[in-house]
C-alpha cells in the first residue's frame, strides 16, 4: 500500500497530496517563528513543509528522516524537495510565460527561474531546468524513501508510467 501521509512531530499527519515542497528550516524561518510566538523554540525544527493554499508547517524531523518514512523526495530546486508522486507536469518557462507573469502580477519574474513544476497541491517555480528535474524523477523510479539528486535517462517514461501519458515538456 502506497504511503499517503507523512508523520511529523510525533503525532501530526500531513497528507502527501497537500505538500508543495519540503526544505531545511532557514534562519529567516526561525526568526519569523520566534517573532510570531515567543513561546516557540524554533531551534527544534529541522524541516519546513509548504502546503497547498500557501499554508506551511514545521517538522522536528530532517528532510532525510521524512524521506525515510517511505516517500520518494525529488530535489526540484537546490535543497528543496517535493514528493515524487505529487509531481504532475514539468515545463520550461518561456518568454511568453515571463510576459504573462508580469502582466498578471505587475512585477518581473526572477531571471534565474527556468521551469515550472505543477504538483497536485499547486505550482512551484525552479531555477533547475525541466530536463534536470525530469531526469531526477526518472532516476527515482524504483527508489522510495530516498532523496534524489542523481540524473537518469528515461524521465518522461517514468512520469507516464505513474500518471498516464502526457507531454512532460508542454510548452
Amino acid at each position: 500500500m502506497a504511503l499517503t501521509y507523512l508523520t511529523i512531530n510525533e503525532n501530526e499527519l500531513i497528507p502527501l497530496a497537500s505538500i508543495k515542497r519540503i526544505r531545511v528550516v532557514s534562519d529567516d524561518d526561525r526568526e519569523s517563528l520566534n517573532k510570531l510566538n515567543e513561546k516557540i523554540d524554533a531551534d527544534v525544527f529541522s524541516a519546513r513543509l509548504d502546503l497547498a493554499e500557501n499554508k506551511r508547517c514545521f517538522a522536528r524531523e530532517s528532510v532525510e528522516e521524512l524521506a525515510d518514512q517511505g516517500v520518494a523526495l525529488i530535489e526540484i530546486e537546490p535543497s528543496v524537495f517535493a514528493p515524487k508522486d505529487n509531481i504532475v507536469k514539468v515545463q520550461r518557462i518561456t518568454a511568453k510565460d515571463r510576459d504573462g507573469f508580469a502582466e498578471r502580477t505587475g512585477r518581473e519574474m526572477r531571471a534565474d527561474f527556468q521551469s515550472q513544476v505543477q504538483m497536485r497541491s499547486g505550482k512551484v517555480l525552479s531555477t533547475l531546468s525541466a530536463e534536470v528535474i525530469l531526469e531526477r524523477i526518472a532516476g527515482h523510479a524504483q527508489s522510495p524513501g530516498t532523496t534524489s539528486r542523481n540524473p537518469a535517462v528515461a524521465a518522461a517514461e517514468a512520469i507516464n508510467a505513474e500518471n498516464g501519458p502526457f507531454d512532460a515538456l508542454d510548452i
Side-chain angles (χ1 to χ4, degrees), residues 81-96:
F81 299 86
K84 179 183 136 236
D85 292 341
N86 281 10
I87 300 172
V88 176
K89 181 166 97 173
V90 181
Q91 68 184 49
R92 295 180 193 109
I93 293 177
T94 64
K96 183 178 176 181

Side-chain angles (χ1 to χ4, degrees), residues 66-80:
L66 294 173
D68 287 344
Q69 292 183 35
V71 62
L73 295 178
I74 304 299
E75 186 179 38
I76 59 169
E77 179 79 4
S79 299
V80 177

Side-chain angles (χ1 to χ4, degrees), residues 22-24 75-81 126-128 136 149:
I22 301 171
R23 63 181 178 79
V24 174
E75 186 179 38
I76 59 169
E77 179 79 4
S79 299
V80 177
F81 299 86
S126 176
T127 58
L128 299 176
R136 290 175 179 180
R149 294 184 174 171

Side-chain angles (χ1 to χ4, degrees), residues 3-15:
L3 184 69
T4 59
Y5 61 87
L6 282 178
T7 302
I8 65 169
N9 306 327
E10 297 180 29
N11 64 346
E12 296 177 56
L13 304 178
I14 307 296

Side-chain angles (χ1 to χ4, degrees), residues 16 86 98 101 107 111 118 123 140 149 165:
L16 286 178
N86 281 10
R98 290 180 189 286
F101 180 84
R107 50 194 177 103
Q118 176 66 49
K123 296 177 184 177
H140 228 294
R149 294 184 174 171

Side-chain angles (χ1 to χ4, degrees), residues 38-105:
E38 291 178 10
K39 295 178 184 178
I40 295 175
D41 180 8
D43 291 333
V44 302
F45 297 113
S46 298
R48 172 179 155 175
L49 288 76
D50 293 332
L51 309 173
E53 299 178 13
N54 295 320
K55 304 285 186 204
R56 75 175 89 149
C57 60
F58 294 87
R60 290 182 184 95
E61 297 81 4
S62 68
V63 172
E64 291 78 15
E65 289 170 323
L66 294 173
D68 287 344
Q69 292 183 35
V71 62
L73 295 178
I74 304 299
E75 186 179 38
I76 59 169
E77 179 79 4
S79 299
V80 177
F81 299 86
K84 179 183 136 236
D85 292 341
N86 281 10
I87 300 172
V88 176
K89 181 166 97 173
V90 181
Q91 68 184 49
R92 295 180 193 109
I93 293 177
T94 64
K96 183 178 176 181
D97 295 327
R98 290 180 189 286
D99 292 342
F101 180 84
E103 288 174 21
R104 283 189 314 277
T105 65

